[in-house]
């Protein structure tokens, strides 16, 4: 990552999160991908797996946090950056705060349940004992397209099944 500016670095890592989102889509999971980076080293990569794992908490962010904690042998993840293709929900924001994630970088905003900036700004609450730096909109169009394409295909399949 030497010689790259922060925008280029964020774009590079978000592309890796997008790769994870595409893996989720291939498994018929909602295509959200997440990765965690520490000192410019990828330490965790995951995608939504609620259906496969039959676990409502198996969001990409939660699974990536679990992997990173195992990799570092620490339930705290200081200095880590979490890249995710969709703005996190309340559960995932809470997990990031508890894990002491340093920085969140997300792609597409979530107008229904985005708790980083869109529906609410949970990271801005002064009562939290840890603050996460947030950067939104990195590869937002591409991240949103993966989700839109997935749900469009689902709706088309549902329509064709109704005929």
């Amino acid at each position: 990552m030497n010689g790259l500016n922060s925008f280029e670095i964020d774009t590079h890592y978000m592309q890796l999160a997008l790769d994870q989102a595409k893996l989720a889509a291939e498994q018929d999971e909602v295509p959200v991908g997440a990765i965690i980076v520490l000192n410019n080293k990828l330490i965790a990569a995951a995608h939504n797996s609620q259906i496969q794992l039959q676990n409502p908490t198996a969001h990409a962010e939660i699974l990536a946090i679990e992997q990173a904690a195992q990799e570092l042998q620490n339930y705290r993840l200081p200095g880590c950056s979490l890249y995710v293709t969709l703005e996190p929900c309340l559960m995932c924001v809470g997990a990031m705060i508890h894990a002491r994630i340093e920085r969140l970088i997300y792609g597409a905003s979530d107008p229904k349940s985005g708790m980083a900036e869109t529906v609410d700004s949970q990271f801005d609450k002064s009562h939290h004992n840890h603050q996460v730096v947030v950067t939104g909109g990195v590869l937002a169009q591409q991240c949103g397209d993966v989700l839109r394409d997935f749900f469009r295909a689902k709706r088309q399949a549902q329509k064709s099944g109704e005929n």
Side-chain angles (χ1 to χ4, degrees):
M1 299 278 98
N2 292 338
L4 297 180
N5 64 38
S6 62
F7 174 79
E8 292 168 326
I9 292 169
D10 285 351
T11 300
H12 168 76
Y13 286 126
M14 187 60 72
Q15 186 59 59
L16 298 178
L18 264 169
D19 293 343
Q20 287 294 313
K22 291 171 185 173
L23 288 173
E26 290 172 11
Q27 296 173 10
D28 208 29
E29 297 274 1
V30 174
V32 177
I35 65 159
I36 297 181
V37 175
L38 177 62
N39 299 324
N40 291 321
K41 180 184 174 208
L42 178 70
I43 61 169
H47 54 75
N48 276 0
S49 297
Q50 294 99 314
I51 297 166
Q52 178 187 353
L53 298 176
Q54 293 297 292
N55 180 348
T57 68
H59 289 199
E61 301 94 309
I62 300 296
L63 297 173
I65 288 169
E66 289 174 355
Q67 283 180 25
Q70 290 300 308
E71 175 70 21
L72 298 177
Q73 291 296 290
N74 190 350
Y75 72 106
R76 302 279 195 225
L77 303 174
C80 288
S81 296
L82 189 150
Y83 292 79
V84 62
T85 57
L86 181 65
E87 182 179 5
C89 70
L90 185 59
M91 174 183 69
C92 293
V93 164
M96 287 177 220
I97 291 167
H98 286 289
R100 307 297 194 265
I101 293 289
E102 182 174 311
R103 189 167 171 243
L104 163 68
I105 305 89
Y106 71 87
S109 296
D110 186 345
K112 292 184 178 179
S113 61
M115 290 292 160
E117 297 177 313
T118 304
V119 174
D120 195 4
S121 299
Q122 282 294 310
F123 291 117
D124 293 340
K125 307 295 184 199
S126 61
H127 62 274
H128 291 308
N129 60 349
H130 175 73
Q131 299 301 308
V132 176
V133 177
V134 178
T135 302
V138 176
L139 296 181
Q141 183 68 45
Q142 295 93 318
C143 293
D145 286 347
V146 169
L147 286 158
R148 281 185 289 277
D149 292 347
F150 177 80
F151 286 111
R152 185 179 304 117
K154 285 280 198 197
R155 286 188 300 274
Q156 288 172 343
Q158 192 174 34
K159 274 185 183 178
S160 65
E162 291 174 358
N163 293 336

